Amino acid sequence: MRSVQIVHLDDIYPGWDGLRWASEHVRTDLLEPRALGRPGRWRQWDWSANRPGATHDLPADVRLIVEGVGSLTCASRHLVDVAFWVETPANERRRRALSRDGALYAPHWARWSAQEDAFIEREHPCDYADVVVDNAATRGIAAASSGWAIPSGIGTAPSGR
C-alpha cells in the first residue's frame, strides 16, 4: 500500500491575507513538479511568529490530498486525479471557524471571508469538482451519484461538468 500525505492549506496560507498566494504556491511548487514526476514542495507558515516556516518536500510517488480553499482552480484541475468541493453556507463556515479557533480567528473573519468569496467568484471551483459535498448542517443528505465511495453521512451531488 502506498502512503498518503495530506497537505492542509491552513498550514500554507502566509498570514490572514494569503489565500491567493497559497493557491498559486500549491499549483506551481507542489502539483506541477509532481505531475512531471519530480518531487514537489510546499512552504509552511509559522502562524505564531507570523513568518515563513519550514519547507517540506514530497516525492512524486506519494499519494497526495490537498485540502482547503484555494486548492482547486482552473489552472490546477488538470494536475489532480479527483477533485472535491465542499459546499457549506457562510454562516456555518463562520460558526465552525470561530468554535475551532475562537478569539484568534474572530478579528480576521471578515477579511478572510472576503478572500474566500473573491476566490470562489474568480475560480468557480465547484465547476471543476468531480464530487460536490453538501456539508451544511441544516440540509438533508443528497443522493450519492458520483460513483465514488463516500463515507456515510456525507452527501454528494454531481458537479455538472
Side-chain angles (χ1 to χ4, degrees), residues 18-39:
L19 191 153
R20 192 173 207 156
W21 183 89
S23 181
E24 262 311 287
H25 172 64
V26 163
R27 181 180 60 80
T28 60
D29 295 328
L30 182 61
L31 298 177
E32 286 178 351
R34 288 171 45 86
L36 298 172
R38 299 191 317 251

Side-chain angles (χ1 to χ4, degrees), residues 10-21:
D10 283 352
D11 293 334
I12 296 176
Y13 303 126
W16 294 106
D17 298 307
L19 191 153
R20 192 173 207 156
W21 183 89

Side-chain angles (χ1 to χ4, degrees), residues 1-159:
M1 181 181 284
R2 292 170 42 188
S3 64
V4 176
Q5 174 71 45
I6 300 174
V7 175
H8 304 277
L9 262 70
D10 283 352
D11 293 334
I12 296 176
Y13 303 126
W16 294 106
D17 298 307
L19 191 153
R20 192 173 207 156
W21 183 89
S23 181
E24 262 311 287
H25 172 64
V26 163
R27 181 180 60 80
T28 60
D29 295 328
L30 182 61
L31 298 177
E32 286 178 351
R34 288 171 45 86
L36 298 172
R38 299 191 317 251
R41 61 182 0 187
W42 59 277
R43 187 189 74 193
Q44 190 167 357
W45 184 254
D46 183 338
W47 285 93
S48 59
N50 196 33
R51 67 172 190 236
T55 299
H56 303 271
D57 293 323
L58 190 61
D61 64 343
V62 172
R63 290 179 185 249
L64 174 63
I65 297 172
V66 180
E67 75 79 27
V69 175
S71 59
L72 180 56
T73 66
C74 176
S76 68
R77 178 58 187 100
H78 73 284
L79 301 169
V80 303
D81 295 326
V82 180
F84 287 77
W85 175 253
V86 179
E87 188 66 43
T88 307
N91 62 338
E92 181 63 15
R93 289 193 332 261
R94 183 178 192 277
R95 186 195 68 73
R96 291 176 186 179
L98 296 180
S99 70
R100 181 189 67 211
D101 297 326
L104 176 66
Y105 201 154
H108 307 287
W109 173 259
R111 82 189 213 215
W112 184 259
S113 181
Q115 287 177 86
E116 287 180 336
D117 293 344
F119 172 81
I120 292 166
E121 178 67 25
R122 180 178 64 251
E123 294 291 341
H124 304 280
C126 185
D127 294 347
Y128 301 106
D130 297 301
V131 177
V132 176
V133 178
D134 183 349
N135 196 22
T138 58
R139 295 186 188 160
I141 303 301
S145 59
S146 65
W148 289 92
I150 307 298
S152 175
I154 298 177
T156 64
S159 67

